[in-house]
């Protein structure tokens, strides 16, 4: 009697496969899935010159699958590269019922890795949690979406914390799905300047307070990052989603791209490849070169007189809250 469809075999060794790459039709056993995954990420690091011989790498961690997979991968690499040291920055936005659980998960995983880390919270840094900021914004009728505050304040804190921890580079866990979504979102809002700053390695402009950003997983599909995390016991099987995700245009684009990928395997990867090919042109035309400016209020890097984080704080009326330090320009 047939027991149903035969289990697929690994295209490399013939062992039982655990993953099939629908775009290529190739199947992989656990060992060859992990080998291929890590080889791709290492190749990204090499091809884009993401890391030099000596680096202090700060990994931006939320406690979810992507950031823990990146932390684990870089931690593993650093064991074989004595010039590389890994630290983690955990951002606590203050999202009740959600972020506490992912931070707990980070601590569970890190008990194994022992990576030095720092938790930076919106509450301590700005005086308010993201939940409180969203309430204040809606009372003032500002019409700013939760993810806009979350993204701007998170990037701001990650850069500042990475610098304060002496990091030479900040590693961000964006995967191919994130990149494809961001590509379409920025095309849809005609924000090509933002697209030009994206990419495997952050844009061409520099600032003494800006920590270079790298994205070693930028062309690896989200489901492969999730499987890598699962195989290394980095995530709780229970699904945990941010309550604000539904307000995000990214959420809609994500659904649309997943449907397209189902019908046309490889569609997302092609979008990421197109973005990579367009990047030199976008940077040439839309990215600032040389030194970027400094925010007149907080002294952090900014392409405008006042950075986006300070603009939001001004609008919310919370500029003098928290640990904000006013920037005093050096005397000339
Ligand atoms: Fe922040 Fe939006 Fe992501 Fe929630 S869904 S963590 S609010 S960016
Ligand atoms: Zn500022």
């Amino acid at each position: 009697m047939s027991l149903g469809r035969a289990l697929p075999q690994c295209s490399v060794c013939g062992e039982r496969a655990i993953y099939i790459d629908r775009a290529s039709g190739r199947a992989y056993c656990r060992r060859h899935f992990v080998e291929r995954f890590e080889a791709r990420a290492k190749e990204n690091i090499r091809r884009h010159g993401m890391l030099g011989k000596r680096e202090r790498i700060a990994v931006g961690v939320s406690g979810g699958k992507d950031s823990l997979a990146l932390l684990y991968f870089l931690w593993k690499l650093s064991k074989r590269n004595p010039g590389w040291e890994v630290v983690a920055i955990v951002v606590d936005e203050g999202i009740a019922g959600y972020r506490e659980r992912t931070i707990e998960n980070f601590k569970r995983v890190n008990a194994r890795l022992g990576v030095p880390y720092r938790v930076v919270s919106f509450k301590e840094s700005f005086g308010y949690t993201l939940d409180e900021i969203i309430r204040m914004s809606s009372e003032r009728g500002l019409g700013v979406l939760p993810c806009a505050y979350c993204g701007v304040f998170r990037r701001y804190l990650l850069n500042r914390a990475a610098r304060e921890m002496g990091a030479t580079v900040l590693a961000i866990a964006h995967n191919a799905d994130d990149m494809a979504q961001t590509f379409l979102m920025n095309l849809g809002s005609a924000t090509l300047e933002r697209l030009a700053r994206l990419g495997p390695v952050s844009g061409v402009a520099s600032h003494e307070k800006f920590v270079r950003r790298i994205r070693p997983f930028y062309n690896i599909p989200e489901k492969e990052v999730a499987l890598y995390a699962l195989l290394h016991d980095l995530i709780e099987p229970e699904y945990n989603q941010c309550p604000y995700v539904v307000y995000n245009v990214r959420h809609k684009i994500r659904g649309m791209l997943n449907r397209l990928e189902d019908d046309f395997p490889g569609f997302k990867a092609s979008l990421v490849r197109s973005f990579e090919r367009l990047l030199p042109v976008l940077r040439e035309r839309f990215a600032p070169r040389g030194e970027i400016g400094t925010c007149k209020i907080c002294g952090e890097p900014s392409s405008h007189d006042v950075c986006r984080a300070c603009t939001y704080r001004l609008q919310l009326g919370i500029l003098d809250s928290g640990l904000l330090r006013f920037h005093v320009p050096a005397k000339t």
Side-chain angles (χ1 to χ4, degrees), residues 156 295-302 305-311 313 324:
Y156 184 89
C295 171
K296 282 186 175 149
I297 295 177
C298 67
E300 291 293 315
S302 170
D305 279 356
V306 175
C307 74
R308 187 86 75 85
C310 287
T311 304
R313 281 184 287 187
L324 176 75

Side-chain angles (χ1 to χ4, degrees), residues 170-218:
L170 175 59
I172 305 288
H174 286 157
N175 57 48
D177 292 50
D178 297 320
M179 299 298 280
Q181 292 154 19
T182 309
F183 182 43
L184 287 189
M185 280 164 65
N186 282 294
L187 286 182
S189 57
T191 41
L192 299 182
E193 295 76 11
R194 265 189 235 163
L195 259 190
R197 286 198 293 265
L198 204 72
V201 178
S202 53
V204 283
S206 62
H207 187 286
E208 54 170 6
K209 289 186 169 178
F210 183 70
V211 182
R212 203 166 62 94
R213 287 169 185 226
I214 58 168
R215 298 176 175 86
F217 293 168
Y218 79 95

Side-chain angles (χ1 to χ4, degrees), residues 56 58 87 89 118 157-170 211:
R56 187 168 165 86
V87 298
I89 303 166
R118 191 174 144 189
L157 291 184
L158 277 175
N159 187 65
R160 200 173 71 180
R163 190 176 71 236
E164 288 172 357
M165 291 174 87
T168 51
V169 66
L170 175 59
V211 182

Side-chain angles (χ1 to χ4, degrees), residues 12-24:
V12 183
C13 70
E15 285 292 313
R16 188 171 70 91
I18 58 158
Y19 179 73
I20 302 174
D21 173 14
R22 283 187 63 215
S24 68

